[in-house]
Amino acid sequence: MIDPARLSLNLMTVDHWSLAEAVERCASAGIATIAPWRHQLDAGSARTIRDAGLAVSSLCRGGFFTSPGADDDNRRAVEQAAELGAPVLVLVCGPPAGTDLAAARATIAAGIERLLPFAADHGVRLGIEPLHPMMVGERSAIVTLGEALTLARSFDDPPVGVIVDAYHVFWDPRLDDELAGAAGLIAGYHVSDWLVPTQDLLAGRGLMGDGIIDLPRLGGLVAAAGYDGPVEVEVINPTLAAVPGDELLADIIARFARAA
Amino acid sequence: MIDPARLSLNLMTVDHWSLAEAVERCASAGIATIAPWRHQLDAGSARTIRDAGLAVSSLCRGGFFTSPGADDDNRRAVEQAAELGAPVLVLVCGPPAGTDLAAARATIAAGIERLLPFAADHGVRLGIEPLHPMMVGERSAIVTLGEALTLARSFDDPPVGVIVDAYHVFWDPRLDDELAGAAGLIAGYHVSDWLVPTQDLLAGRGLMGDGIIDLPRLGGLVAAAGYDGPVEVEVINPTLAAVPGDELLADIIARFARAA
């Protein structure tokens, strides 16, 4: 059972709303923390969020270190996170350019190293998010929690963290052991559920309780590793756009209490 | 570069053909070894294959230990493998029944233990195939090579093996280390390619050379682990049904020489 006050709504869950609408609806529903994505931001977003009294748990996303222009774009992402008061910039690290996964992983490590001083200057922690291995070709060569932790540990000043997203890591037979060694390294915890059958590699996620992830157990392991920060609900599924907004947020709050 | 004589055609690649047609086409094309699936078999299949002078590298599939009736069905699969002269029965181990992955993994281990004496009596080796983690909900709680190896090592008399399918394991940052410790445990090696983008969780595989798997490198690691048996081409993709049969087999043979 996670303290309901720790719920943060990752706004990809409601990407069919404008940021202003999401802020207003969250404030009304009693959700005090949000996590926007960069494409949802404009020049007034920081003020909109602040004026509504909401906190920001993270900004999603920087990364894509294997793409041209990544350094400039990542510095801009750090600046945006700082403007929003987001303590963490989530890194989706980028896919291999061709068949060489080891080279991609080295490129990612070097990119984080270059970005780190700039992030530290802005008071933003970098959070490496391992994605599900089915996303290796399009989104991330970093596909296991163990790999993300090893990478995070290779930087110690300032510390780099990892983002534990239940959807991306629940399948891993090494998960318990990796989390047992993750104290101090968890910079965020995301929840959703894995539907059976899963029919879409990107946008087929379920609301907590509708799938096969043992979220209470995973949440316990994350807590045992010392993480007590915001817990983002991030459910990427276009069918949610058909649910009336008040109903959707009430359902998310109820499921967070019951199934996360 | 793999000896072309080691090519075995996994018949799921040509599931749009009857077994008799597949046998005839393979024999004509100079493919000397095949790997049928059970749903493709009938009472005359063993003779059809033998009369054409073809060998069988494996039978796919037993497993699904987490489903009711698995034991009876698996004994039947062992008998079918023996009838075909298949040295290996590929095990797709089955998904969790609910949210308890650890319980599913224990059920799978117990199921293999029960099946093993029967398989040994029939001269059939069991090959545990770890599937890609995106298949955890529908097909297999065994999703990493490391986990499959640990499970295989827990049985030593008779030995149980693992099936290394490039498509299922290529993403794993631990792959090199796991293969380095896999001597004597590899009971089969399957090749195909991971397309970018991948749009189907089951049937979106590519022909060797069309995707991002560094097959020559992976093949080298498998060879270094001492595996010198048949190499199955298993490309599950319904678009292959549109390619004329002679052309498809010629393309597979050429790609096996060039890109596997």
Side-chain angles (χ1 to χ4, degrees):
Chain A
M1 180 89 181
I2 301 173
D3 179 352
R6 292 174 62 195
L7 168 58
S8 172
L9 186 65
N10 185 297
L11 297 189
M12 190 54 95
T13 309
V14 292
D15 197 40
H16 51 291
W17 296 342
S18 69
L19 184 110
E21 182 178 359
V23 165
E24 187 186 331
R25 286 189 178 277
C26 284
S28 304
I31 294 174
T33 311
I34 59 173
W37 283 53
R38 290 175 67 201
H39 70 267
Q40 298 168 334
L41 302 177
D42 62 28
S45 297
R47 162 164 287 210
T48 301
I49 295 168
R50 198 166 49 235
D51 286 353
L54 299 187
V56 175
S57 51
S58 74
L59 178 63
C60 203
R61 63 190 187 197
F64 278 82
F65 296 102
T66 53
S67 299
D71 284 358
D72 284 349
D73 190 57
N74 281 322
R75 282 191 294 268
R76 180 69 194 122
V78 164
E79 290 169 347
Q80 290 175 301
E83 286 159 20
L84 294 169
V88 174
L89 175 66
V90 175
L91 300 179
V92 172
C93 291
T99 62
D100 194 341
L101 269 168
R105 288 161 178 161
T107 298
I108 289 164
I112 293 173
E113 185 169 23
R114 284 193 305 276
L115 183 60
L116 195 49
F118 189 82
D121 285 347
H122 287 74
V124 173
R125 187 177 187 187
L126 301 179
I128 302 166
E129 182 168 8
L131 297 199
H132 193 285
M134 70 187 176
M135 300 181 184
V136 65
E138 293 96 339
R139 288 177 185 79
S140 179
I142 307 298
V143 291
T144 66
L145 180 59
E147 184 179 27
L149 285 167
T150 298
L151 186 53
R153 287 188 189 102
S154 71
F155 307 103
D156 56 1
D157 185 25
V160 171
V162 301
I163 306 297
V164 179
D165 184 313
Y167 186 82
H168 291 306
V169 304
F170 81 99
W171 53 270
D172 191 341
R174 295 176 57 85
L175 189 59
D176 291 31
D177 289 345
E178 298 295 356
L179 284 171
L185 291 166
I186 301 178
Y189 176 45
H190 297 183
V191 294
S192 66
D193 216 333
W194 182 276
L195 301 177
V196 177
T198 281
Q199 297 182 323
D200 187 292
L201 279 80
L202 177 63
R205 303 189 201 182
L207 290 164
M208 300 78 74
D210 282 351
I212 62 166
I213 305 180
D214 188 345
L215 288 169
R217 182 174 178 282
L218 179 50
L221 296 172
V222 169
Y227 181 73
D228 59 4
V231 177
E232 293 184 16
V233 173
E234 183 183 35
V235 183
I236 304 181
N237 193 317
T239 65
L240 299 186
V243 182
D246 293 352
E247 194 180 310
L248 177 61
L249 294 188
D251 192 28
I252 284 171
I253 290 168
R255 286 168 180 270
F256 190 84
R258 185 175 78 233
Chain B
M1 179 90 181
I2 300 173
D3 180 351
R6 292 174 62 196
L7 168 58
S8 172
L9 186 66
N10 184 296
L11 297 190
M12 190 55 93
T13 310
V14 291
D15 198 39
H16 51 292
W17 297 341
S18 69
L19 184 111
E21 182 178 358
V23 165
E24 187 185 331
R25 286 188 178 278
C26 284
S28 305
I31 293 174
T33 311
I34 60 174
W37 283 53
R38 288 174 70 201
H39 69 267
Q40 299 167 333
L41 301 177
D42 62 29
S45 296
R47 161 164 286 209
T48 302
I49 295 168
R50 197 165 51 237
D51 286 354
L54 299 187
V56 175
S57 51
S58 74
L59 178 64
C60 202
R61 63 190 186 197
F64 278 80
F65 297 102
T66 53
S67 299
D71 284 359
D72 285 349
D73 190 57
N74 281 322
R75 283 191 293 268
R76 180 68 193 124
V78 164
E79 290 169 347
Q80 289 176 301
E83 286 160 19
L84 293 169
V88 175
L89 175 66
V90 174
L91 299 180
V92 172
C93 291
T99 63
D100 194 340
L101 268 168
R105 288 162 177 160
T107 298
I108 289 165
I112 293 174
E113 185 169 22
R114 285 193 304 277
L115 183 60
L116 196 49
F118 189 83
D121 285 347
H122 286 74
V124 173
R125 187 177 186 185
L126 301 179
I128 302 165
E129 182 167 8
L131 297 199
H132 193 285
M134 69 186 176
M135 300 182 185
V136 66
E138 293 97 339
R139 289 179 184 79
S140 179
I142 307 297
V143 291
T144 67
L145 180 59
E147 184 180 25
L149 285 167
T150 298
L151 187 52
R153 286 188 190 102
S154 71
F155 306 103
D156 57 0
D157 184 25
V160 170
V162 300
I163 306 297
V164 179
D165 184 312
Y167 186 83
H168 291 305
V169 303
F170 81 99
W171 53 268
D172 190 342
R174 296 177 56 86
L175 189 59
D176 290 32
D177 289 345
E178 298 295 357
L179 284 172
L185 291 166
I186 301 178
Y189 177 45
H190 297 183
V191 294
S192 66
D193 215 334
W194 182 276
L195 300 179
V196 178
T198 281
Q199 298 181 324
D200 187 292
L201 279 80
L202 177 64
R205 304 189 200 182
L207 290 163
M208 300 78 75
D210 282 350
I212 62 166
I213 305 180
D214 189 345
L215 288 169
R217 181 174 178 283
L218 179 50
L221 296 173
V222 170
Y227 182 74
D228 60 3
V231 177
E232 294 184 15
V233 173
E234 183 182 35
V235 183
I236 303 181
N237 194 316
T239 66
L240 299 187
V243 182
D246 292 352
E247 195 180 308
L248 177 60
L249 294 188
D251 191 28
I252 284 172
I253 291 169
R255 286 168 180 269
F256 190 84
R258 186 175 79 234

